[in-house]
């Protein structure tokens, strides 16, 4: 959050509606400030899903001035499949494959495709 003519004003950061820093004083110990001449950078080290939210840089001036950032944390997808390994079925029998999404942000999208062949419906993927 960089400001022209910051001298004499106090900059604070809020996460959602909670104040997390005031000037150079850090209230939420999970963040740190990299101070510059005309402002600072709010740094989230080792971000987790709990760090998601709306972060607001606010200047204590006669006319309230603020800049808002929305932070979304990407989380690696976790899936489980059934069967775990190889499925063997007799010709003409039904084969059922299951893919369950256990975690991931944004929510992963599951698509099915066959190696070197189109799907039975003629599509590349479904």
């Amino acid at each position: 959050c960089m400001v022209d003519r910051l001298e004499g004003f106090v900059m604070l950061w809020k996460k959602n509606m909670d104040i997390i820093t005031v000037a150079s004083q850090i209230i939420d110990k999970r963040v740190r400030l990299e101070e510059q001449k005309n402002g600072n950078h709010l740094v989230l080290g080792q971000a987790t899903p709990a760090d998601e939210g709306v972060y607001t840089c606010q200047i204590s001036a006669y006319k309230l001035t603020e800049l808002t950032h929305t932070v979304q944390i990407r989380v690696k997808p976790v899936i489980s499949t059934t069967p775990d390994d190889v499925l063997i079925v007799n010709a003409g029998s039904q084969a059922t494959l299951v893919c369950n999404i256990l975690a991931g942000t944004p929510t992963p999208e599951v698509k099915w495709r066959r190696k070197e062949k189109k799907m039975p419906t003629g599509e590349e993927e479904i």
Side-chain angles (χ1 to χ4, degrees):
C1 185
M2 298 301 170
V3 181
D4 290 334
R5 299 181 307 274
L6 179 60
E7 55 280 333
F9 297 105
V10 175
M11 177 184 293
L12 62 87
W13 281 96
K14 296 191 291 186
K15 178 185 174 199
N16 300 321
M17 297 306 292
D18 299 326
I19 296 172
I20 57 175
T21 73
V22 177
S24 60
Q25 180 184 358
I26 296 173
I27 296 164
D28 183 339
K29 300 301 181 193
R30 296 179 332 160
V31 301
R32 66 183 168 86
L33 292 173
E34 290 182 356
E35 297 191 52
Q36 308 289 318
K37 180 181 177 187
N38 289 325
N40 60 44
H41 297 174
L42 182 71
V43 180
L44 306 170
Q46 299 295 315
T48 68
D51 293 315
E52 276 196 350
V54 176
Y55 289 81
T56 304
C57 169
Q58 196 172 74
I59 308 301
S60 65
Y62 173 71
K63 180 178 180 243
L64 185 67
T65 304
E66 60 184 29
L67 178 67
T68 300
H69 303 276
T70 300
V71 175
Q72 296 178 319
I73 307 297
R74 295 179 62 102
V75 177
K76 179 180 174 181
V78 178
I79 61 169
S80 70
T81 58
T82 305
D84 293 333
D85 196 8
V86 177
L87 176 64
I88 300 172
V89 296
N90 294 323
S93 297
Q94 180 175 315
T96 301
L97 304 171
V98 179
C99 180
N100 291 310
I101 299 169
L102 304 177
T105 303
T107 302
E109 180 180 334
V110 175
K111 293 186 179 185
W112 292 90
R113 69 177 65 195
R114 293 172 69 181
K115 192 174 189 176
E116 301 175 12
K117 289 185 180 180
K118 291 187 178 187
M119 298 301 286
T121 57
E123 298 167 304
E124 292 292 330
E125 64 185 24
I126 56 172

